[in-house]
């Protein structure tokens, strides 16, 4: 292929010209407010952010769909993701050309270049879309099995329905926050130990959940399901997601209607949406499904992506983070397209910018589980993090997720998704 950008990009960067993930940012130096500080869309290239509002205003999106489109003059990516795959492809081609070492239009125009290429360290990242709805699936079989073993025992760890449909719950969109936002330890009613009554107070089982999430593209009208074989055209791209979970609150409240306050106090996503187009070289066959799914979930292309995932914890008071688990997106049993088709099969409408979490992504090996619930077996097997013992997260602990696909001579990375636990309100 040999795509080379005139912007210098380190070999180990997550954001070479092959990636070009989308986010929304505001220049942190624009202290005067006004237009200079307004949120606008950008793509990451090396250590820089390309300001798409400037590129657009300069008339450089010259293809048939994006020429004269106001989609990059918005404070969110909703309008752009709603345009669909032809617009996404056009934008990607235009941007790869504009950033190419062979294309003079930006490379040789220093005043335009200075206006549109900002140092990543000098911008503040914001939520990339206005998230109308957020749904969280439960699509890793290893995670489902471990949870079943912990909560229900070995007789039948995975419920009958799990193998027939992608299980999910409706999450809370209002508390989805961008990477770096502190997470306040929630208070709530929590599961009684032994035969004591429930207690009220700060959660004693604060956990992370290693997930990724799809950003919905055009979506569908109410009453009109999306066919599984075209579902990929409704997925703009992926972000990292931490579905923070208070295990003691969750265990007490979730029967029979599902997770509620044990999940809705905060969900963190990473700022850069990596497009399915950029992930295409990392597509791999998804696990064979047994029993065969019903026809509406049977797809001609049953694919996952090979995305290595890592969770690091920087314990309170420590200087260095410790790697606690490594997993891979390819561990998902139900694919993104099956999740999306299932979500709409009853006619439920998805809208541009909606967020669909995959569920905790655990692998089969001991070191590949996606949450502390599994890693410490609900607190029964405390973990040693560089000399500090943890059953669950403590105040001041910082959790860092990383994801990076390794291509031939380049990466397609997601950056990181971080959050630090703050003490509960008194
Ligand atoms: O199997 C159960 O009874 C419980 C499962 C979980 O607690 C997993 C969970 O938190 C759902 C999720 O991934 O958000
Ligand atoms: Ca979850
Ligand atoms: Mg949560």
């Amino acid at each position: 292929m040999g795509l080379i950008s005139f912007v210098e990009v380190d070999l180990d960067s997550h954001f070479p010209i092959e990636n070009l993930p989308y986010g929304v940012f505001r220049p942190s130096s624009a202290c005067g407010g006004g237009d200079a500080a307004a949120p606008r869309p950008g793509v990451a290239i090396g250590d820089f952010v390309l300001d798409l509002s400037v590129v657009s205003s300069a008339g450089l999106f010259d293809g048939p769909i994006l020429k004269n489109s106001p989609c990059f003059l918005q404070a969110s990516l909703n309008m752009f993701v709603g345009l669909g795959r032809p617009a996404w492809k056009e934008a990607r081609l235009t941007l790869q050309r504009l950033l190419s070492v062979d294309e003079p239009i930006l490379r040789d125009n220093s005043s335009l270049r200075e206006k549109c290429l900002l140092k990543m360290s000098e911008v503040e990242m914001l939520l990339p879309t206005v998230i109308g709805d957020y749904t969280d699936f439960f699509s890793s079989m290893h995670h489902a099995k471990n949870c079943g073993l912990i909560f229900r025992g070995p007789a039948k760890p995975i419920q009958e329905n799990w193998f027939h449909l992608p299980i999910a719950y409706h999450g809370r969109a209002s508390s989805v926050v961008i990477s770096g936002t502190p997470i306040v330890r929630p208070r709530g009613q929590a599961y009684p130990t032994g035969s004591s009554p429930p207690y009220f107070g700060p959660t004693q089982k604060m956990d992370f959940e290693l997930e990724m999430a799809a950003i919905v593209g055009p979506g569908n009208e109410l009453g009109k399901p999306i066919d599984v074989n075209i579902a990929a055209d409704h997925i703009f791209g992926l972000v990292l997601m931490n579905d923070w979970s208070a295990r003691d609150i969750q265990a007490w409240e979730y029967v029979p209607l599902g997770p509620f306050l044990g999940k809705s106090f905060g969900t963190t996503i990473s700022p850069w949406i990596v497009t399915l187009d950029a992930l295409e070289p990392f597509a791999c066959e998804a696990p064979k499904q047994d029993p065969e799914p019903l026809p509406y979930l049977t797809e001609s292309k049953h694919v996952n992506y090979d995305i290595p995932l890592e969770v690091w914890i920087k314990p309170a008071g420590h200087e260095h983070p410790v790697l606690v688990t490594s997993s891979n997106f390819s561990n998902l049993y139900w694919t993104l397209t099956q999740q999306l088709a299932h979500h709409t099969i009853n006619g439920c409408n998805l809208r541009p910018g909606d967020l669909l979490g995959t569920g905790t992504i655990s692998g089969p090996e001991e070191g590949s589980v996606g949450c502390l619930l599994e890693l410490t077996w609900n607190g029964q097997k405390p973990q040693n993090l560089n000399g500090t013992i943890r059953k669950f997260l403590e105040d001041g602990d910082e959790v860092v997720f990383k994801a990076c696909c390794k291509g031939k001579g380049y990466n397609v990375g997601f950056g990181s998704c971080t959050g630090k636990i703050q003490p509960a309100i008194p």
Side-chain angles (χ1 to χ4, degrees), residues 78-224:
N78 292 57
M79 184 185 283
F80 176 58
V81 305
L83 292 177
R85 187 162 304 282
W88 309 339
K89 290 237 184 249
E90 187 179 303
R92 182 170 171 80
L93 278 175
T94 301
L95 291 170
Q96 284 188 330
R97 177 170 51 78
L98 289 175
L99 289 167
S100 153
V101 74
D102 302 322
E103 169 62 55
I105 199 160
L106 254 188
R107 186 195 65 194
D108 297 349
N109 185 337
S110 59
S111 71
L112 184 58
R113 225 175 43 227
E114 260 161 49
K115 260 172 71 184
C116 72
L117 276 172
L118 293 93
K119 281 198 190 128
M120 212 177 259
S121 56
E122 292 173 5
V123 307
E124 178 194 359
M125 298 307 297
L126 305 166
L127 284 176
T129 63
V130 176
I131 301 166
D133 280 291
Y134 151 48
T135 302
D136 193 16
F137 284 87
F138 187 50
S139 289
S140 149
M141 186 178 70
H142 309 290
H143 175 61
K145 183 175 173 192
N146 288 333
C147 290
L149 287 170
I150 291 166
F151 291 126
R152 284 178 298 280
K156 193 178 185 193
I158 305 182
Q159 312 267 5
E160 178 73 18
N161 61 358
W162 193 91
F163 289 99
H164 294 273
L165 52 88
I167 302 284
Y169 71 93
H170 283 295
R172 182 78 195 165
S174 67
S175 53
V176 177
V177 296
I178 197 67
S179 177
T181 307
I183 298 295
V184 176
R185 179 180 297 272
R187 299 183 307 166
Q189 274 196 42
Y191 202 78
T193 36
S195 56
S196 58
Y199 63 88
F200 177 84
T203 177
Q204 294 169 18
K205 292 189 174 179
M206 181 73 178
D207 202 356
F208 62 82
E209 283 192 335
L210 173 60
E211 304 199 22
M212 300 198 80
I215 306 290
V216 173
N220 56 316
E221 264 177 63
L222 185 62
K224 295 190 175 163

Side-chain angles (χ1 to χ4, degrees), residues 134 169 209 242-245 262-267:
Y134 151 48
Y169 71 93
E209 283 192 335
N242 186 342
D243 177 23
W244 302 97
S245 298
K263 299 276 190 182
S264 61
F265 58 92
T267 305

